Structures are given as C-alpha cells and as structure tokens.
Amino acid sequence: MPGNRGVSYEGPGKVEVRETDYPGYELKDGPGVNPGNVGRKLPHAAILKAVATNICGSDQHMVRGRTTAPQGLILGHEITGEVVDTGPDVEFIKTGDLVSVPFNIACGRCRNCKEGKTGVCENVNPDRPGSAYGYVDMGGWVGGQAAYVLVPYADWNLLKFPDKERAMEKILDLAMLADIFPTGFHGCVSAGVKPGATVYIAGAGPVGLAAACSAYLLGAAVVIVGDLNKERLDQAHSFGCETVNVAMGEPKDQIEQILGEPEVDCAVDAVGFEARGHGHESEAERPATVLNTLMDVTRAGGALGIPGLYVTGDPGAADEAARHGSLSIRIGLGWAKSHSLVTGQCPVMRYNRQLMMAILHDRVQIAKAVNATPISLDDAPRGYHEFDEGAARKYVLDPHGMLASR
C-alpha cells in the first residue's frame, strides 16, 4: 500500500503538506468528521490516484479563518483522478478509468438525488442536506488535495472520460469539470443566459471567469465582468469580455457606458460573502454589496444566478448579523423588479457530461479562460498564498507529476 500526503488546514492563513492516511473503505474519525459518519462502511467507494486537484476560492474562505473549519482538515473538493481500486459493491467503474469527481457528494438514492438536486443529497451529511470533500460542516469526507482520495457511491458520482489518452491531452480543461466550470455554467443557466443576452458577472476570480466563458458558450451577445483586481479583469478581457473596475465607482454607470443603458438581461454573483464595497468603499468589506448591485443592474423580469458562496457562520464578519449569515439585502427592490434568484451549490452532475463533450470537441477552452496553472503538491502553500494575494490564476495541484509530463 502506497503512502499518502495531503494539504492540511493548520489555522488562519496557514496550510501545510503532511503525511495522511491512505484511504480505506470505512470513514474514520478525524478533523471535521461528523460523529454520525464515523464507522460508516463504504463498499460502494473507489480509491483514486489524484491526477489533478485544484485550489478553490471556497477553500480560501476556510484558510483565511472565515469558517469554523478545524485544524488538521485535509482540503480539496475539485478532483480528477485515475481509479486504482474499487470496493466490492462497485459494478461499472473499473481500475484504470480516468474520471472527474463532482465536488458534491451524492448517494443517488434519496429524493433530492433522484430529482437531480445532487448538491443537497440527504444521505451523506448527518447534520443537513449537502456535502463535499474536505469542507467544513459537510460531513467530514476527506479532501482530495492529496495523492490518493476515496470517492463514495463511485458508480453514481464518477464521470468516466471515454478515451483516456484523448482526455490526458485536455486534462487541464477537464480538471475544471469537478467544480468551477459547472458552477459558472449553473450561474448562467440560473440567470437565464441565452443567445443575444447581455450579462453582468460580479467577480473575476476563477468561478467568475468560468461563468463568463459559459455565458459565451450559451450565446450571450455581451459579457461584462466586474472586479477590483486589474490583473483578473485583464484575464477576462483576454477572451472577449467587457470589464468594469468597481473600485472606480458603481457598476451601473460603467455598464451604461458599455451598453448605452444601465441594465443587463442577466446577472451572476461569483463573489459571495467576502464581497467588498464599490467606489470609495472598495477597501471595506460589504457582504451584501454584490447582491444589491445585481438587483440594481438587472432589468425587471430578469434573473440572478448566485453560485458565490454564502455561509451560515462567519467568525470573521464585520458585524454580528453577518456572523450568522444575515445580510442587509434589498429584497424589496428584487420583489419590485420581479427578479428570480437561484442560490446554493451547483448540482455538478446536471452539467458535467455536456461540458465534457464541449471540451473534448473543442467548443470551449476553459483552462485558458481561467489561466489554469499546474504546480506540485509541495507548492500548495505557495499557491494558496498567491491566490489569496489576487493572482489571476487557477492553481491545479499535480501530486504525481502527471500534468508536468504532458
């Protein structure tokens, strides 16, 4: 049995790569593991050798100390891997398969899974519906920023790439299927993006860039991306987006300069609860700013996709209400404009196969759009630091050197 190493959260602002247990077919006690999951038998699981495992902005929220994540939690929910072993109940997935792992952990058996709502599976987290690998309050499933990782309900959860060699040729693009590409796409679908639409996307991090790429894939006529970070805005501009620097003032005024009118058809929040203000307030945290801005700039009858993360507990929040996830949202404005809002985890399995086909048949270059950058597992602390500093990159960990060799 090979050894295993993973990226561990060691407290606010600190991660380190350390030795960790090789996966087995029983969920053991450990940092963040829900007591109701300890001892859970997993004959339906598969063990993967991680080919690519990405650093996500959601991970960064934990590393900044903005959640109740426990020290020692192995991080990572954006996993692409090669199957090296399967449990006795796995029927269709085989050793040697190259697969994408949806970040949502889903049983495939409950009412929500059967309705396609895999982001809120009822059977994998004893506390509440919804689960993910290596994430706080998500049941305690061990994260995949590691050499090896266990995936439960393998026949249901894993998306097998149809041609292994062809997939390895596009592996950086396919690595985005675990989370950010479906998440950005879901934000756009939820917002009603369609051919000819004008779209405003708040946030030029990897999810925002993935949403912008998705908007074009869906046929949008104009995609406008707003952010404070010039390097990230330049990355959005590199594949045809219009950009708005919200540090320069309200997005509405800049949108009017671009479109000739101050409103768009559709809007996507790819920022979440650590949002900052606009204009002279851009240095201050204003967690409701993005949501209120989207209602302001979206036309009456339009819709908002909200894949950006919002939490029920934020120990680093600026005020007591925000510490419990209560924000000063202008719901009256949204009501008056008859807006539709869709929130929550993206149900990755609803989109990942279609997006895989778009990648394999050269309809989209998602890795280029998000500036996917492979680094070694040992370089994970550097990747986290640079990402936190605002690097316009999507860092992809390469635990076995399989990306560097391509």
Side-chain angles (χ1 to χ4, degrees):
M1 181 184 298
N4 197 16
R5 302 166 71 231
V7 180
S8 172
Y9 169 66
E10 295 298 322
K14 185 179 180 183
V15 299
E16 64 180 43
V17 180
R18 64 174 177 83
E19 299 294 321
T20 187
D21 291 339
Y22 187 82
Y25 294 104
E26 179 179 325
L27 195 55
K28 298 180 179 180
D29 197 9
V33 178
N34 190 296
N37 267 344
V38 174
R40 187 169 182 161
K41 307 296 184 186
L42 306 168
H44 45 68
I47 297 172
L48 305 189
K49 176 183 179 180
V51 173
T53 174
N54 313 337
I55 295 175
C56 180
S58 298
D59 299 320
Q60 200 73 65
H61 291 307
M62 289 187 288
V63 173
R64 290 184 186 126
R66 297 298 296 267
T67 71
T68 56
Q71 185 174 333
L73 182 71
I74 300 298
L75 302 168
H77 56 270
E78 298 190 17
I79 308 158
T80 307
E82 180 182 20
V83 178
V84 295
D85 194 49
T86 57
D89 289 355
V90 178
E91 185 176 1
F92 303 110
I93 290 293
K94 305 297 182 186
T95 298
D97 287 346
L98 190 63
V99 295
S100 178
V101 185
F103 79 90
N104 328 104
I105 302 172
C107 73
R109 295 152 168 80
C110 70
R111 173 180 175 178
N112 282 344
C113 282
K114 290 180 178 181
E115 292 178 355
K117 302 171 184 174
T118 54
V120 281
C121 173
E122 298 172 332
N123 289 331
V124 287
N125 184 354
D127 281 345
R128 57 183 171 85
S131 191
Y133 303 89
Y135 210 83
V136 60
D137 296 332
M138 287 290 189
W141 300 89
V142 179
Q145 287 175 13
Y148 297 91
V149 63
L150 185 84
V151 175
Y153 304 103
D155 281 328
W156 168 251
N157 281 303
L158 294 177
L159 174 68
K160 177 184 172 181
F161 300 139
D163 184 309
K164 192 171 182 179
E165 184 57 34
R166 185 181 177 195
M168 283 303 296
E169 292 173 0
K170 295 180 178 290
I171 193 64
L172 274 183
D173 294 280
L174 294 169
M176 303 303 123
L177 291 174
D179 182 353
I180 67 164
F181 195 9
T183 293
F185 195 84
H186 178 61
C188 289
V189 170
S190 302
V193 177
K194 59 188 65 174
T198 56
V199 186
Y200 176 65
I201 295 168
V207 170
L209 296 172
C213 191
S214 298
Y216 282 125
L217 190 60
L218 289 163
V222 183
V223 179
I224 304 169
V225 178
D227 204 293
L228 298 159
N229 182 314
K230 183 182 182 302
E231 186 181 1
R232 291 181 172 180
L233 290 173
D234 288 344
Q235 181 64 25
H237 186 70
S238 73
F239 60 96
C241 300
E242 301 287 346
T243 60
V244 163
N245 189 331
V246 299
M248 305 301 291
E250 290 299 323
K252 191 169 189 175
D253 298 331
Q254 298 177 66
I255 288 170
E256 185 169 20
Q257 293 174 12
I258 295 167
L259 296 177
E261 56 183 355
E263 292 184 325
V264 293
D265 299 321
C266 318
V268 177
D269 173 4
V271 178
F273 73 103
E274 288 193 69
R276 296 192 176 276
H278 297 154
H280 67 277
E281 293 188 336
S282 61
E283 296 300 316
E285 192 166 295
R286 298 285 185 267
T289 293
V290 170
L291 291 172
N292 288 332
T293 295
L294 295 197
M295 287 188 281
D296 190 34
V297 304
T298 303
R299 68 177 181 85
L304 281 60
I306 309 173
L309 176 68
Y310 289 88
V311 294
T312 56
D314 175 10
D319 58 64
E320 186 60 30
R323 288 188 182 94
H324 302 283
S326 296
L327 308 180
S328 299
I329 298 169
R330 295 183 64 194
I331 193 65
L333 175 61
W335 189 94
K337 297 177 81 171
S338 293
H339 285 157
S340 299
L341 290 77
V342 176
T343 66
Q345 286 187 32
C346 163
V348 171
M349 294 174 69
R350 192 178 298 174
Y351 308 106
N352 62 351
R353 185 186 181 279
Q354 300 97 304
L355 296 177
M356 174 189 75
M357 295 300 287
I359 289 168
L360 292 176
H361 291 278
D362 299 317
R363 302 301 300 168
V364 65
Q365 292 182 303
I366 185 65
K368 183 177 180 181
V370 302
N371 197 15
T373 305
I375 59 175
S376 71
L377 186 67
D378 287 321
D379 276 338
R382 174 177 66 85
Y384 269 97
H385 174 73
E386 292 179 1
F387 188 41
D388 192 45
E389 292 291 306
R393 298 178 182 275
K394 176 66 173 177
Y395 286 104
V396 181
L397 303 182
D398 183 9
H400 298 277
M402 298 175 74
L403 305 181
S405 67
R406 300 306 300 176

